[in-house]
Amino acid sequence: MSLRPSPRPTAHPLRYSYGTNGLTDLRLDDALSLLADLGYDGVGLTLDHMHLDPLAPDLAARTHKLARRLDELGLGVTLETGARYVLDPRRKHGPSLLDPDPAQRARRADLLVRAVQIATDLGAHAVHCFSGILPKDTAGEVDTGAGTEGDAVAAEDVAWKRLAETLTPVLDAATAAGIPLAVEPEPGHLLATLDDFHRLRTDLGSPDALGLTLDIGHCQCLEPLSPADCVRAAAPWLRHVQIEDMRRGVHEHLPFGDGEIDFPPVLEALAAVGYQGLVSVELPRHSHAGPQLAQQSLPFLRHAAAVSTPPDADRPPNPGEGPTDSDGRTP
């Protein structure tokens, strides 16, 4: 594929951010300053102990201070709630919305309600969340007499019911705040695919506050549609986008160019459907190289977006501009 560099990065309508879960070795203010200096439009802010701890004292004051700082830097924000150990120091992502213990499920719901309030105070455009994996002991609560397969189906039905019930107060809070709750299909979780999102949406009666987080890498990993077609299919419910490279069948977030995704059609689709939120780079296992990857990722995305946009015929060429041998992936 022959690419042309973007003459004006701001000409493309998409807005890019970088997730703080990929910058965990930096203090939050240092991470925000870095992203602003690099030219990002926003930040995907994961609520966690090393950045904005949602459970520590003086949350309102800390949130207010952060809101001022984001405004000073001109950064938009999406609230992410995928911190690994924010609620339980011994269980990754625990407790989840599917926990067998109602009190533990309520802890996760309370965190999401708190995230909605933080999002309101920060002026965030969405709150992200995911379902969690099907607990191993769920099947033990169900005995249909139908054998292993029947019990597995019944256990899933129990889990889907839990998910809908536990999210209901969160959606009530999101509705009152006017902040979309953007559920992410996550490989290996109960809600893993776009079809699963639609099951939840139907179970809940299609509330306006329920939206979708679309992870472009996850589309490459396991959806039957191409990532660009996933964007088009998801457009009516799309409230947040995460982006990284990935390979088919392997759930590993990769820097751009290390996977298999063809990005120009994806960015073209996002622009074509009129997506207005942030497109957030999601590299949670690369904090050791976070500043370098943040520096590399934005030019890559702008370059790939320029390929998907017809060149301006009336614009004189920039010095040195012309086709390259790049295929749109990071060198």
Side-chain angles (χ1 to χ4, degrees), residues 5-56:
S6 174
R8 302 184 189 94
T10 57
H12 200 275
L14 296 178
R15 298 187 302 137
Y16 302 110
S17 66
Y18 199 95
T20 59
N21 61 0
L23 296 169
T24 56
D25 292 322
L26 275 66
R27 298 177 183 86
L28 179 57
D29 192 66
D30 290 339
L32 298 178
S33 297
L34 170 72
L35 298 181
D37 289 346
L38 291 175
Y40 281 90
D41 302 290
V43 57
L45 176 63
T46 294
L47 298 178
D48 208 348
H49 63 88
M50 76 288 291
H51 287 150
L52 184 62
D53 188 339
L55 304 180

Side-chain angles (χ1 to χ4, degrees), residues 27-204:
R27 298 177 183 86
L28 179 57
D29 192 66
D30 290 339
L32 298 178
S33 297
L34 170 72
L35 298 181
D37 289 346
L38 291 175
Y40 281 90
D41 302 290
V43 57
L45 176 63
T46 294
L47 298 178
D48 208 348
H49 63 88
M50 76 288 291
H51 287 150
L52 184 62
D53 188 339
L55 304 180
D58 301 322
L59 177 61
R62 289 183 287 115
T63 302
H64 183 65
K65 180 179 178 181
L66 175 58
R68 291 200 310 267
R69 185 60 175 151
L70 290 168
D71 186 61
E72 290 170 359
L73 295 172
L75 293 173
V77 60
T78 305
L79 258 290
E80 304 250 3
T81 62
R84 294 183 180 95
Y85 298 101
V86 69
L87 289 177
D88 189 327
R90 297 173 184 266
R91 286 192 296 162
K92 180 181 176 182
H93 299 313
S96 79
L97 296 165
L98 307 176
D99 198 286
D101 184 345
Q104 293 299 311
R105 295 199 297 274
R107 290 182 64 208
R108 176 61 62 173
D110 288 346
L111 175 66
L112 295 180
V113 170
R114 184 170 294 209
V116 170
Q117 181 58 58
I118 295 169
T120 303
D121 294 342
L122 293 180
H125 75 82
V127 171
H128 148 279
C129 70
F130 45 55
S131 69
I133 63 173
L134 183 68
K136 293 180 180 179
D137 56 351
T138 303
E141 300 178 17
V142 179
D143 185 3
T144 65
T148 303
E149 183 175 350
D151 286 347
V153 171
E156 280 205 15
D157 288 342
V158 168
W160 281 106
K161 183 179 179 181
R162 282 181 190 164
L163 180 60
E165 290 176 349
T166 311
L167 276 179
T168 295
V170 184
L171 287 165
D172 290 343
T175 299
I179 302 286
L181 184 69
V183 179
E184 178 188 6
E186 182 80 19
H189 285 212
L190 177 71
L191 197 158
T193 66
L194 288 174
D195 284 347
D196 292 336
F197 168 76
H198 290 302
R199 173 172 178 169
L200 176 65
R201 185 174 61 82
T202 300
D203 288 349
L204 288 166

Side-chain angles (χ1 to χ4, degrees), residues 3 16 263-265 267-268 299-309 328:
L3 306 187
Y16 302 110
F263 285 96
L267 299 176
E268 182 176 22
F300 175 92
L301 289 169
R302 286 174 168 170
H303 194 54
V307 177
S308 67
T309 305

Side-chain angles (χ1 to χ4, degrees), residues 178-251:
I179 302 286
L181 184 69
V183 179
E184 178 188 6
E186 182 80 19
H189 285 212
L190 177 71
L191 197 158
T193 66
L194 288 174
D195 284 347
D196 292 336
F197 168 76
H198 290 302
R199 173 172 178 169
L200 176 65
R201 185 174 61 82
T202 300
D203 288 349
L204 288 166
S206 301
D208 290 341
L210 181 65
L212 174 70
T213 292
L214 189 68
D215 187 302
I216 300 303
H218 296 173
C219 296
Q220 177 69 22
C221 179
L222 52 69
E223 293 285 354
L225 298 174
S226 71
D229 284 339
C230 285
V231 169
R232 287 183 277 269
W237 304 277
L238 199 55
R239 301 295 179 267
H240 181 40
V241 172
Q242 297 170 343
I243 193 165
E244 70 285 315
D245 218 336
M246 202 168 287
R247 301 186 182 99
R248 185 70 178 169
V250 182
H251 184 205

